[in-house]
Amino acid sequence: MGQFKANQLVDRLETAAKARQAALARFRDRPAADDPAVLARQSARRAIVQAREDRAEARERARRAAEAQREAEALAEQERQIAELARQAAEKVERQAALAAEQKAARDARFAARKARARR
């Protein structure tokens, strides 16, 4: 068993008092709020924060612009597809009309040939 120290409490109290004194000394040694070095650090921090906010705002603007560009491209693609479908439908109608005209001409020719045979 170790030897009992009678002044152990006193040592701890003295150490705590020295620590408080050191903390108080550090607090007193701090520069004042109107010190040029403190003001320079604060302005530098404000500049950093402002630059960060500016970059975030620029990223947001770029994101919105890219989103608008994608929407415009999608709309243009949709319009192109609609125009293509309309063109295909018009071509189909045109082909059907031409086919109907050909069929009518062939039918009329057959009818005329039948009439010509009957007149002979």
Side-chain angles (χ1 to χ4, degrees), residues 20-41:
R20 278 193 302 274
Q21 289 298 324
L24 186 59
R26 279 195 311 271
F27 180 74
R28 285 185 185 145
D29 290 342
R30 261 187 17 201
D34 60 350
D35 189 285
V38 171
L39 295 176
R41 275 196 311 268

Side-chain angles (χ1 to χ4, degrees), residues 4-6 8 10 16 18 20 22 24 28 30-31 43 46 63-64 73 78 80 83 89-90 93 96 99 107 109:
F4 179 74
K5 288 186 174 181
Q8 195 173 20
V10 174
K18 287 179 186 175
R20 278 193 302 274
L24 186 59
R28 285 185 185 145
R30 261 187 17 201
S43 66
R46 275 191 230 110
R63 185 190 63 79
R64 286 185 191 149
E73 289 172 358
Q78 226 175 16
R80 188 193 63 74
V93 167
Q96 287 175 344
L99 180 62
R107 188 174 56 245

Side-chain angles (χ1 to χ4, degrees), residues 72-94:
E73 289 172 358
L75 185 61
E77 178 63 22
Q78 226 175 16
E79 289 175 357
R80 188 193 63 74
Q81 288 176 352
I82 289 171
E84 179 66 21
L85 289 174
R87 184 189 62 78
Q88 288 175 354
E91 286 178 358
K92 184 177 180 181
V93 167
E94 193 176 299

Side-chain angles (χ1 to χ4, degrees), residues 46-78:
R46 275 191 230 110
I48 290 170
V49 168
Q50 184 64 40
R52 186 179 301 135
E53 289 173 356
D54 291 345
R55 287 190 307 269
E57 186 178 318
R59 280 193 304 270
E60 181 65 21
R61 280 196 309 269
R63 185 190 63 79
R64 286 185 191 149
E67 185 177 322
Q69 178 69 24
R70 282 193 302 273
E71 288 176 2
E73 289 172 358
L75 185 61
E77 178 63 22
Q78 226 175 16

